[in-house]
Amino acid sequence: MTKIAFIGAGSTVFMKNIVGDVLHRPALRDATVALMDIDAQRLAESEMVARKMVASLGAPARIEAHRDRRAALAGADFVVVAFQIGGYRPATVTDFEVPKAYGLRQTIADTLGVGGIMRALRTVPRLWDVAADMAQVCPDAILLQYVNPMAMNTAALSARFPALRQVGLCHSVQGTAEELARDLGIPVSSMRYRAAGINHMAFYLQLEARQPDGTWRDLYPALREGYRAGCIPLESSWNPRCPNLVRYEAMMHLGYFVTESSEHFAEYVPWFIKSHRPDLTQRFRIPLDEYPVRCEEQIARWTDEAEALRRADRIEVKPSHEYAATIMNAAVTGEPAVIYGNVPNAGHIPQLPATAAVEVPCLVDSSGIRPTTVTGIPPQLVALMRTNLNVQELTVAALLEEDREHVYHAAMLDPRTAAELDLAQIRSLVDDLIAAHGDWMPEWLRRPRAA
């Protein structure tokens, strides 16, 4: 019988998607699902939802709830991690409000920039704790990591636990493909694509649609012409407040479409958000403080949603677009599947450093997750990825070496931060953020510094 441990199961909506996908797979319907969270109330809510899903589908799955992580992990075949260390309050709010005092505005602040750096400093030590427990109680399990900053987490896990079977999972590649299909007015099932890069900065290197005569048509000319003519419906289905103007504009200059959303991409580069150019954020309709606004809306909705789930006798379980259950099914049954995963580079993109975490197509079967090799990425895309890798590598180095100076270095080389602040301001901002996060920071960052 398959055992699935879910660490951070208090994220009830996300847990519902993953467990729902599992229950739809015949080979996984009798799995033991061990839910674990440190928040007793959220854990109880997730347990209630999971049990109702099992009953609604008449599945023989077994649901467990744990406050103890090692107990949840013991004997697991798969480990799903989906936690947010420090939560929305206080940690995410801090990541937005402290930089604002320096005139540094952000949109999401979870992958790069000072927000992404701080989130990595809070998160990686806890992921290392999970990996250490896995080495003891489920050494052969596959870690399915859904935590941002994805690339930094994946690289740090690989550096400290090289034997760990892990993959970082995001929905940007498959999600953006669906958006582009809608923009072009074609079924996504008619498309084929090849993407590669780093998480949140991978690009569609090939993007085609099958024609009635069986040939394949390059879709880039239609995307470019549609953007020039203003006839592509540029609304983002992920976030109606943020059109895809940023990504289409970047495509016109770089030649390729990036897989992550416009509100994300805008803060990974120095071109779109500038305090002295408010016209840019207006022109490209960039939603500053997007993530806090979204979180507040989700918090406001959750009370009603949770009550509706408590009252419901049955819970409708619809398939999601996440890869977790696809991976589990392929590993258990041997039925092959292809997913896009974030993995330690190991030559999978030879143009990027070996220490990087890269996002590439992966074949999954009973032997596990096997990344493919992607070559020939255009040099302008590789160069852009390297600007983000600088930040990622220095943040991971700071964690591995317990070196505060590398935290400053990471922030100094961040494209968005460097576009706004000078070196002294960046150092001061990092100090203020570390102090504001207090006990959420690793102990070595809280030690008094030598004069």
Side-chain angles (χ1 to χ4, degrees), residues 324-343:
T326 299
I327 293 170
M328 296 176 197
N329 183 73
V332 169
T333 66
E335 178 183 331
V338 175
I339 59 105
Y340 276 84
N342 293 271
V343 295

Side-chain angles (χ1 to χ4, degrees), residues 146-391:
Y146 278 98
V147 184
N148 281 323
M150 178 73 65
M152 296 189 211
N153 294 341
T154 301
L157 281 165
S158 174
R160 181 63 62 85
F161 295 91
L164 178 70
R165 303 173 74 195
Q166 62 149 326
V167 63
L169 298 173
C170 183
H171 50 246
S172 60
V173 175
Q174 66 269 39
T176 292
E178 292 183 359
E179 286 195 79
L180 292 176
R182 281 190 290 272
D183 283 353
L184 293 166
I186 62 175
V188 70
S189 59
S190 73
M191 292 172 59
R192 72 177 182 183
Y193 52 83
R194 184 171 65 102
I198 59 177
N199 184 236
H200 288 189
M201 194 175 276
F203 290 85
Y204 292 99
L205 307 175
Q206 180 184 32
L207 188 66
E208 298 175 327
R210 190 175 185 88
Q211 301 300 97
D213 63 2
T215 61
W216 292 91
R217 173 172 62 97
D218 180 10
L219 292 174
Y220 271 115
L223 291 175
R224 287 190 288 269
E225 181 56 33
Y227 181 56
R228 289 192 193 100
C231 61
I232 281 181
L234 299 165
E235 294 81 5
S236 166
S237 63
W238 291 353
N239 178 12
R241 289 189 296 265
C242 181
N244 269 324
L245 294 169
V246 165
R247 290 200 284 179
Y248 273 98
E249 183 71 8
M251 177 194 70
M252 299 300 285
H253 293 273
L254 296 169
Y256 297 85
F257 205 88
V258 72
T259 57
E260 190 43 72
S261 65
S262 283
E263 61 267 37
H264 270 283
F265 187 74
E267 65 179 6
Y268 304 155
V269 296
W271 309 317
F272 295 100
I273 307 173
K274 298 175 182 289
S275 60
H276 66 288
R277 291 287 307 278
D279 60 300
L280 290 174
T281 54
Q282 293 168 7
R283 175 186 169 191
F284 292 105
R285 292 176 61 186
I286 298 166
L288 299 175
D289 296 331
E290 157 62 20
Y291 190 61
V293 170
R294 191 189 311 172
C295 288
E296 293 288 354
E297 290 174 351
Q298 290 172 343
I299 291 168
R301 287 197 305 267
W302 174 244
T303 300
D304 291 338
E305 291 177 5
E307 181 60 26
L309 290 169
R310 277 191 289 270
R311 291 175 178 271
D313 294 324
R314 296 175 56 83
I315 294 179
E316 184 179 8
V317 185
K318 296 180 179 179
S320 79
H321 300 291
E322 304 295 348
Y323 283 133
T326 299
I327 293 170
M328 296 176 197
N329 183 73
V332 169
T333 66
E335 178 183 331
V338 175
I339 59 105
Y340 276 84
N342 293 271
V343 295
N345 192 6
H348 305 306
I349 298 183
Q351 294 158 281
L352 295 179
T355 53
V358 295
E359 190 166 69
V360 294
C362 300
L363 175 66
V364 189
D365 58 20
S366 55
S367 66
I369 297 166
R370 292 183 284 167
T372 63
T373 298
V374 180
T375 59
I377 298 177
Q380 72 275 20
L381 304 184
V382 174
L384 186 60
M385 293 171 201
R386 284 174 175 160
T387 67
N388 282 215
L389 282 170
N390 290 334
V391 182

